Amino acid sequence: MATPLTPAEQALRDAALEYHRSPTRGKIAVTPTKPLSNQRDLSLAYSPGVAYACLAIEEDPKLAADFTSRANLVGVVTNGTAVLGLGNIGPLAGKPVMEGKGCLFKKFAGIDVFDIELAENDPDKLVEIIAALEPTLGGINLEDIKAPECFYVEQKLRERLNIPVFHDDQHGTAIISSAALINGLELVGKKIGEVKLAVSGAGAAAIACLDLMVSLGVKRENIFVVDSKGVVREGRGDTLDVSKRRYAQHTHARTLADVVDGADVFLGCSAAGVLTGEMVKTMAAKPIILALANPEPEIRPEIAKAARPDCIIATGRSDYPNQVNNVLCFPYIFRGALDCGATRITEAMKLACVHEIAALAKAETSDEVAAAYAGKELKFGPDYLIPTPFDARLILRIAPAVALAAAESGVATRPITDPQAYREQLTKYVYQTGMFMRPVFLAAKTQPARVVYAEGEDERVLRAVQVVKDEGLAKPILVGRPNVIEMRIERAGLRLKAGVDFELVDPEDDPRYRACWEDYHRLMGRDGISPEAAKAALRRSNTLISSMLVRRGDADALLCGLVGRFDHHFDHVKNVLGARPGSGTMATMNALMLEQHTLFIADTFVNEEPTAEQLAEIAQMAAEEVQRFGMPAKVAFLSHSMYGSSTRASAKRMRAARELFVQRCPGIESDGEMQGDAALSETIRRAVLPDTTLSGAANLLVLPNIDAANILFNVLKVTGGHGVTVGPILLGAAATAHILTPSATMRRVVNMTALAVTDVAAARASAHGAE
């Protein structure tokens, strides 16, 4: 009988099933990349025009990379015999994992994926089936195939095929853990050729880790492996497969405790809890522990640290430092391999990946990364051994290094001839992959702030707060009637408890009521607000209550706007919080992640017809906010005019705004006035003005008035597919506050919570720097 799920597990199960079911079944789809809107398009895409592409490829097979999607297409292939921690659940049950892997390829590196689940357990037949797919695919990612068959299947495919074959369970784990090892040894001052390595587990991942670590310099005679039958040793009495046999030792050791004694490094690819604090105490000075079992490691970091404060530990978990996560590697090693037309992934390519990951942990943090991870110290040390999986620089370093290693290994059929141009080309994957909220979430987790939700009774807010609590993003404060909130929490099946998971502010009975209305009256008394009117206003408006809480320092940030008109909420925020010092302008910006572009649009809700000075200030505030997402702002001042093609007042105003912005922010790329297509196409811009001061595609679009900005945002929101939307983001307020709209989803409330927390952290850092 299955173990009953805990309430938290049940909630996660329900959310995961709904995620996979709605609004579209599954997680991936095939989308045409060319228009099919008329008869000519059809004749080019299919008969008769397609014949010319077929004949060209027949004459020169390399042209398949130019005329088909093959050079950007990876097959994620499994037979479902070793799926995650679920075991041999079969290929059909493993399909959600393969689709998920496809999402990661696409989101992190822009690589298209066919997930291929095969009902075949015979290794030789599996090889034949996969090998027959070579004309379709640019590369093959073997996934969740049990050991030792996975070794055999990969070896045979590598021998037969002229496309990269990579078993991520083996080599991805090996690459990341090896990077952690060499950085850890540098920190503790030990030489890789002298360390003793104790290993728990002898499956595919463990053996691949050992093979790569030996390539880096670990001595085979210093490696001691323990599997389910004890120490892997000569004369053990059972038949060792080839992969284990090369690590069999002549030793009297019989248990994990025996081999851990005196070890400099522990590598775990086995099961939860097998390494105890007592064992850790017996390790050599300054031990390195790589406890990679998921979801529960061989030892928890707090237990290891309690036993040996001098240890350095990495796990596979995201809630501890030093997460060994394969997503640090596999999207980018394939990106580099595909782009150079590599026929296989060589040892040199894997080692290049190791060294780049290790080096990135020691690299100086860029301005964009520092802004994106505000509050988190990304500094090389025991708690920052390897980069975070969401470091946007990974693709920019790993893919070029892999492509260069492929060329040096003689396996690149399309060698990269201009590495710098290639790196610039890769930036599009950083900012167009739909992962632009990732640095915001990571930064929010490092310094959770107190966020007050004016619509605390709204079910979208309650569901969002459950996620916020589970993810550790913020300290929620809900404004609402206690009985209504309790009833709706129960109806939604949530696990929230007032006073435990969130602070509750009852608008009808809060001890701060008198102090709040008195403060509000002092603030607004000369604007016609009498004491009685102040009392009544505090009873009527949850947004006013929330604004006063932020003003008084009882909350750090405010989210409101899910019910009612934007202007009504904005008036309360403007009157109570006001504009930030030195600025009289407030504005809003909305973000959209579309298939080809990540765009920020300003000003969507506040200023009806802003002046040139206001537009320049709005652009400056918006550019600062864009940095929260870990990307440099590229600003386009949009108009119906193209570099002076119109002399109408609005065109002149946009040109003047751009000139003022350049004076304010000379280090930020910008241009204008320009038309919308030119903002997104450097080719169009340069055809009109060769010396344009903006490179690539703009990501921050400043519109001439509220109508243009709001219309553009809403049209793109609907026509852009399933893109992520964030906002409205309120700019220029004296304290952090964001006013959402009634169309906001639970997902957007969560996103805006994370953004509000990072805004608070940035404001604190700015205030501290000014002291």
Side-chain angles (χ1 to χ4, degrees):
M1 182 180 294
T3 304
L5 297 176
T6 66
E9 291 169 336
Q10 181 68 44
L12 179 62
R13 175 185 178 275
D14 293 346
L17 294 179
E18 183 63 18
Y19 175 88
H20 283 77
R21 182 185 298 117
S22 300
T24 304
R25 294 181 179 90
K27 298 192 289 285
I28 59 176
V30 177
T31 303
T33 62
K34 300 293 191 298
L36 284 170
S37 56
N38 53 49
Q39 183 63 37
R40 177 164 175 77
D41 289 344
L42 184 60
S43 69
L44 294 173
Y46 204 58
S47 183
V50 70
Y52 295 105
C54 295
L55 293 171
I57 294 170
E58 181 189 30
E59 184 176 341
D60 182 0
K62 290 181 181 178
L63 291 177
D66 293 329
F67 299 142
T68 75
S69 63
R70 183 173 183 258
N72 194 52
L73 184 62
V74 166
V76 176
V77 184
T78 189
N79 64 357
T81 52
V83 180
L84 293 176
L86 305 175
N88 187 357
I89 62 174
L92 183 60
K95 185 175 177 66
V97 177
M98 305 311 122
E99 287 190 355
K101 195 65 174 282
C103 289
L104 296 179
F105 268 110
K106 186 67 173 180
K107 295 296 185 181
F108 281 90
I111 295 172
D112 294 318
V113 162
F114 285 162
D115 66 293
I116 301 169
E117 295 77 28
L118 300 175
E120 181 56 71
N121 290 347
D122 182 281
D124 289 307
K125 292 181 180 178
L126 199 59
V127 169
E128 291 299 324
I129 295 169
I130 298 171
L133 296 171
E134 183 176 10
T136 300
L137 304 170
I140 291 172
N141 182 99
L142 298 174
E143 192 79 14
D144 294 348
I145 300 172
K146 70 181 179 72
E149 288 90 338
C150 61
F151 300 112
Y152 176 82
V153 170
E154 184 189 31
Q155 178 187 340
K156 292 300 180 183
L157 289 173
R158 284 167 56 89
E159 292 171 357
R160 289 181 56 171
L161 303 186
N162 283 313
I163 57 174
V165 179
F166 188 78
H167 186 207
D168 184 47
D169 299 329
Q170 295 182 60
H171 306 302
T173 304
I175 287 167
I176 314 305
S177 58
S178 294
L181 175 64
I182 61 176
N183 274 355
L185 292 176
E186 179 179 332
L187 285 170
V188 300
K190 295 183 180 180
K191 296 180 180 179
I192 196 168
E194 299 175 358
V195 296
K196 176 185 176 183
L197 174 58
V199 186
S200 176
I207 297 299
C209 287
L210 293 180
D211 289 346
L212 195 55
M213 289 173 181
V214 168
S215 297
L216 288 165
V218 176
K219 295 291 193 295
R220 201 179 294 267
E221 60 266 25
N222 293 339
I223 297 172
F224 296 84
V225 180
V226 179
D227 64 9
S228 59
K229 297 178 183 179
V231 176
V232 175
R233 67 188 197 284
E234 298 289 349
R236 194 170 72 173
D238 61 331
T239 302
L240 296 174
D241 62 63
V242 175
S243 62
K244 292 183 186 181
R245 197 177 305 147
R246 59 179 174 270
Y247 291 105
Q249 293 278 28
H250 293 282
T251 178
H252 296 293
R254 295 294 182 269
T255 67
L256 181 61
D258 293 338
V259 299
V260 165
D261 189 3
D264 300 281
V265 181
F266 170 83
L267 171 64
C269 297
S270 54
V274 298
L275 183 67
T276 67
E278 291 304 311
M279 293 182 195
V280 173
K281 289 179 181 179
T282 69
M283 295 182 72
K286 299 179 180 179
I288 296 169
I289 299 170
L290 306 176
L292 309 184
N294 258 323
E296 187 64 31
E298 284 79 4
I299 187 170
R300 285 268 186 153
E302 60 268 24
I303 298 174
K305 291 281 189 181
R308 288 293 295 274
D310 62 337
C311 77
I312 295 176
I313 181 166
T315 71
R317 294 177 62 111
S318 62
D319 51 350
Y320 290 105
N322 300 326
Q323 184 190 11
V324 176
N325 188 325
N326 287 11
V327 81
L328 279 165
C329 160
F330 71 81
Y332 315 123
I333 198 167
F334 265 104
R335 182 75 273 159
L338 290 172
D339 288 343
C340 71
T343 57
R344 60 182 46 82
I345 292 176
T346 65
E347 198 72 10
M349 294 162 73
K350 289 186 284 184
L351 290 174
C353 196
V354 171
H355 291 301
E356 286 301 324
I357 292 171
L360 183 54
K362 294 178 279 188
E364 180 179 343
T365 303
S366 68
D367 291 341
E368 290 79 29
V369 171
Y373 294 87
K376 183 176 178 64
E377 187 171 358
L378 303 180
K379 185 177 180 181
F380 180 54
D383 288 333
Y384 189 64
L385 206 58
I386 48 179
T388 167
F390 296 122
D391 193 321
R393 297 170 294 176
L394 284 162
I395 191 171
L396 303 180
R397 297 190 61 137
I398 294 175
V402 167
L404 178 61
E408 292 174 347
S409 301
V411 298
T413 60
R414 300 187 303 276
I416 302 299
T417 56
D418 187 341
Q420 183 57 38
Y422 178 52
R423 288 187 185 92
E424 292 175 3
Q425 175 190 332
L426 290 170
T427 59
K428 69 180 181 182
Y429 298 116
V430 175
Y431 305 127
Q432 296 172 12
T433 57
M435 302 299 287
F436 75 105
M437 282 302 299
R438 57 194 182 185
V440 177
F441 275 78
L442 187 63
K445 290 180 181 183
T446 64
Q447 293 184 332
R450 299 168 299 168
V451 177
V452 58
Y453 300 83
E455 291 89 6
E457 298 175 3
D458 193 292
E459 189 169 308
R460 289 168 292 177
V461 169
L462 295 173
R463 291 187 180 278
V465 167
Q466 184 70 74
V467 175
V468 166
K469 284 299 298 179
D470 290 345
E471 296 292 323
L473 297 174
K475 301 171 184 177
I477 304 170
L478 300 184
V479 180
R481 294 163 292 177
N483 60 324
V484 174
I485 289 177
E486 183 178 0
M487 178 267 292
R488 289 180 178 170
I489 287 174
E490 183 176 354
R491 186 176 66 189
L494 304 176
R495 294 168 278 111
L496 298 171
K497 293 187 181 298
V500 177
D501 299 305
F502 62 88
E503 179 185 338
L504 178 59
V505 177
D506 184 352
E508 298 174 353
D509 181 22
D510 189 276
R512 294 165 291 192
Y513 171 67
R514 181 183 181 87
C516 282
W517 76 253
E518 287 178 344
D519 283 352
Y520 183 59
H521 174 253
R522 280 191 291 270
L523 185 66
M524 300 296 293
R526 292 187 179 275
D527 291 287
I529 302 296
S530 67
E532 291 305 314
K535 292 178 185 179
L538 261 295
R539 291 291 191 201
R540 286 195 306 266
S541 174
N542 287 5
T543 294
L544 182 53
I545 293 170
S546 302
S547 299
M548 291 302 300
L549 292 176
V550 174
R551 180 182 176 86
R552 288 167 47 82
D554 294 328
D556 302 310
L558 156 67
L559 292 184
C560 62
L562 275 78
V563 178
R565 292 173 54 240
F566 179 94
D567 289 346
H568 177 74
H569 295 280
F570 178 70
D571 286 343
H572 285 313
V573 172
K574 181 176 65 174
N575 290 337
V576 173
L577 300 181
R580 67 186 183 186
S583 170
T585 301
M586 297 171 69
T588 54
M589 175 175 72
N590 283 75
L592 294 118
M593 200 301 296
L594 306 174
E595 183 65 29
Q596 297 297 324
H597 302 280
T598 295
L599 298 177
F600 298 84
I601 300 171
D603 165 28
T604 44
F605 281 94
V606 176
N607 298 283
E608 185 174 356
E609 199 77 23
T611 65
E613 290 76 11
Q614 287 178 313
L615 286 165
E617 187 170 358
I618 290 167
Q620 181 178 359
M621 294 187 295
E624 291 171 358
E625 194 70 25
V626 169
Q627 288 187 319
R628 306 270 188 275
F629 298 86
M631 61 183 73
K634 294 188 174 186
V635 188
F637 291 83
L638 297 193
S639 171
H640 70 279
S641 175
M642 186 70 173
Y643 296 133
S645 65
S646 170
T647 58
R648 290 180 178 177
S650 64
K652 291 180 178 179
R653 184 159 48 90
M654 296 310 290
R655 173 177 289 200
R658 186 259 171 178
E659 291 171 353
L660 289 169
F661 179 78
V662 170
Q663 294 172 19
R664 288 168 172 262
C665 308
I668 298 177
E669 284 191 43
S670 68
D671 213 340
E673 85 285 15
M674 70 175 70
Q675 295 170 358
D677 55 353
L680 303 181
S681 170
E682 186 172 1
T683 301
I684 293 175
R685 283 198 307 278
R686 292 198 181 280
V688 179
L689 187 70
D691 62 345
T692 174
T693 54
L694 184 64
S695 64
N699 57 17
L700 173 53
L701 309 182
V702 181
L703 279 295
N705 56 45
I706 193 172
D707 287 334
N710 194 281
I711 291 168
L712 176 62
F713 167 69
N714 281 294
V715 168
L716 289 176
K717 182 174 67 174
V718 173
T719 59
H722 298 293
V724 175
T725 63
V726 181
I729 302 165
L730 186 61
L731 308 171
T736 300
H738 297 301
I739 306 168
L740 282 71
T741 58
S743 64
T745 61
M746 180 274 283
R747 181 185 186 189
R748 199 189 306 181
V749 176
V750 174
N751 285 342
M752 291 302 294
T753 299
L755 184 62
V757 173
T758 62
D759 286 339
V760 170
R764 287 172 176 166
S766 178
H768 180 72
E771 292 175 357

